[in-house]
Each structure stands twice: as structure tokens, then as C-alpha cells.
Amino acid sequence: MDVKGVAQALDAAAMNGKAVNQFSTNESYDLKQAYEIQSHSIGLRLARGEQLIGYKMGFTSKAKMEQMGVHELIFGRLTDAMQFQDAATVDMDKMIHPRAEPEIAFRISQDISEPLTLENASSYVDSVAVALEIIDSRYENFKFSLEDVVADNCSSIGFALGPWLPVETNIKNILMSMVNLDVIISKGNSDAILGNPWESLVEASRTALKYNSEIKKGHIVLAGAATAAVHLKKGMVLSAHAEGLGSVSLDVE
Ligand code: OOG
Ligand code: MG
């Protein structure tokens, strides 16, 4: 597998909003190589001046696994260029086939140098927030293998955050929903995320250490969606809601 060549192809596909064929249909590759491709393609962004600001977890709920047919946790990187402000406008013409999902975000309060546990995870976090993630697979028809989606940085394209709230704010067993112009279009419970959304941070700490990434003070970690993702359409005014955490919205043009 030409790690650098695939990373460049995926980076170009993301920049130009043009889909490419899945790589796994032509050549088999393993998860380690997939994370190398991801790391290299994020390296291309960093070389252009983007900053690494955190990580995202994927396939942490059954709803997402079943929607996409991938049944293992995945881990991707977030840069500052991927962050939208609350109430910003998202330009669909720059994207391929975007979808949206409601998420929970953690803000990290100290560098994580060992795998966390459910008992100590909250001592590495100072705030939590509701998030609205937009995903946009670079593969034709939004179809991929586990390795393909990891190489493609877990379909990340952007996210927006609601207000940061103290770490003590309850995120367990809360209702999460995606709303378009006052109509609920998807909903779930935060405990659909690995039985407890804090578990997603525990998994993020393990995966980061395994693949030589460092979750650092100030980083953001997205826990993964509790619901299936919904297709974006022009004219939508999307908002992600999490009970007790408020909401965050994006306009789709
Ligand atoms: C991969 C990204 C998964 C999540 O929250 O589970 C993800 C995809 O569905 O294309 O972001
Ligand atoms: Mg997500």
C-alpha cells in the first residue's frame, strides 16, 4: 500500500469535494497502515498551517455501526479548520454527500499519558458540551471498509460546539436529538454511546496511545454519535440538542 499516495489522494478529495473509489477493493491493507495513512494526511493539513485541536471517536453506538456496517471503534483527528462557530453557515457545494449527527464533546484539562478508566476519566476533563458533527466520506456512495474509513480520518469534515459547561454536568442517560427547523429528525440516548459516554473518552485514551497520538490539555474529544446520521439538504437549519447541555446549530446552504 502506497501510504503517502493514498494520504495525498484522500487529502485532495477532501479539499476538492470530489469522491474517490475505496482503496480496500483493489488492495487489502491493515488497520495499522490505515492509521498511518490518516496520520500522514493530517500531516499534510498541519504542513499547510492547520493546528491539531483534538480527536473524534466513531462507531461508539449500535445505531452508527448498523447504519454504516462497521462494528469497531474508530479514532480520527480534528484540526482548527474543521471547527465551525455556533450558528455558522455550512456550504454544501464544498462537500460530497454530507451528513450530520449530535454528539458530546469533552475538553481535556491535562495531558493524557496513560489509559484512563471510568473512575479517573473526569479528572482529565474540565468541561463538556453538546456538539454537532458533519461527516462527509470521501468514498463513492459513502461506502467503506473499517480500514478505508480510518484512512479517511473517520469521514470528518467539521463540527460546532455548544456552550462549555462544568465537568460535573450530567451526560449520562440524557436525550440527544438532531432538529431541523423545530422538527426532530433523529434522536437517541447518550448511554447508547458504549453504555456511558465517558467510556468513549476511556477508549479514546487507549486508542491514542496505541497509535502514537497524544491527547493534550486543551484538546477536544468528540464521543461519537448516539444516533444514525441524517443527510444534509440546502435550506436546513440544523441543531443538535442534548438534555441539560443546550444546543448548537448550523445553517445549510
Ligand atoms: C464514520 C464516522 C463515524 C461517529 O460519530 O460514529 C462517526 C462515518 O459514519 O462515516 O463520526
Ligand atoms: Mg461522529
Side-chain angles (χ1 to χ4, degrees):
M1 176 58 77
D2 172 11
V3 167
K4 287 191 177 170
V6 172
Q8 268 158 10
L10 285 167
D11 178 61
M15 291 304 123
N16 305 328
K18 293 232 155 46
V20 295
N21 290 321
Q22 287 178 70
F23 298 102
S24 62
T25 43
N26 293 328
E27 197 178 340
S28 72
Y29 58 115
D30 64 18
L31 205 51
K32 185 166 172 289
Q33 288 171 303
Y35 277 107
E36 276 166 25
I37 295 168
Q38 180 191 120
S39 167
H40 194 78
S41 84
I42 292 294
L44 297 173
R45 286 174 170 265
L46 302 185
R48 292 195 295 265
E50 293 182 29
Q51 303 288 324
L52 182 75
I53 59 164
Y55 300 92
K56 59 167 283 183
M57 294 301 283
F59 303 136
T60 50
S61 68
K62 275 216 178 67
K64 281 289 305 183
M65 291 179 189
E66 270 154 29
Q67 182 181 30
M68 304 316 300
V70 175
H71 293 80
E72 283 187 58
L73 296 187
I74 58 173
F75 166 88
R77 286 137 160 118
L78 303 173
T79 74
D80 59 341
M82 298 176 189
Q83 187 165 3
F84 297 107
Q85 292 312 305
D86 187 8
T89 299
V90 169
D91 182 357
M92 263 189 76
D93 292 335
K94 293 193 176 139
M95 302 179 184
I96 303 165
H97 34 209
R99 301 179 182 183
E101 42 195 35
E103 301 226 4
I104 290 171
F106 299 101
R107 192 170 68 192
I108 305 303
S109 59
Q110 51 172 319
D111 296 357
I112 300 179
S113 53
E114 57 183 53
L116 302 184
T117 64
L118 261 189
E119 287 66 44
N120 72 4
S122 65
S123 61
Y124 287 78
V125 171
D126 60 32
S127 318
V128 294
V130 62
L132 197 171
E133 190 189 11
I134 310 282
I135 52 174
D136 192 30
S137 174
R138 263 55 67 170
Y139 301 113
E140 301 282 0
N141 305 317
F142 226 113
K143 286 225 170 65
F144 42 67
S145 68
L146 169 67
E147 290 77 18
D148 289 328
V149 67
V150 165
D152 185 27
N153 198 36
C154 308
S155 310
S156 68
I157 189 158
F159 67 97
L161 298 174
W164 285 117
L165 298 168
V167 61
E168 293 78 24
T169 310
N170 177 50
I171 56 169
K172 259 195 67 55
N173 190 24
I174 57 171
L175 205 69
M176 302 193 62
S177 59
M178 185 64 74
V179 171
N180 173 35
L181 295 163
D182 298 333
V183 178
I184 296 179
I185 49 176
S186 73
K187 64 176 178 199
N189 183 290
S190 66
D191 283 1
I193 303 162
L194 298 171
N196 175 351
W198 283 103
E199 196 73 68
S200 180
L201 184 61
V202 170
E203 290 298 335
S205 71
R206 290 201 190 117
T207 323
L209 291 165
K210 185 165 170 192
Y211 294 106
N212 305 318
S213 303
E214 289 181 301
I215 305 181
K216 293 202 154 147
K217 181 176 160 77
H219 277 166
I220 295 161
V221 177
L222 296 181
T227 67
V230 296
H231 293 260
L232 262 65
K233 291 192 190 75
K234 290 192 186 196
M236 278 180 154
V237 178
L238 287 174
S239 53
H241 297 250
E243 196 182 345
L245 300 186
S247 65
V248 51
S249 76
L250 289 172
D251 287 9
V252 184
E253 292 291 319

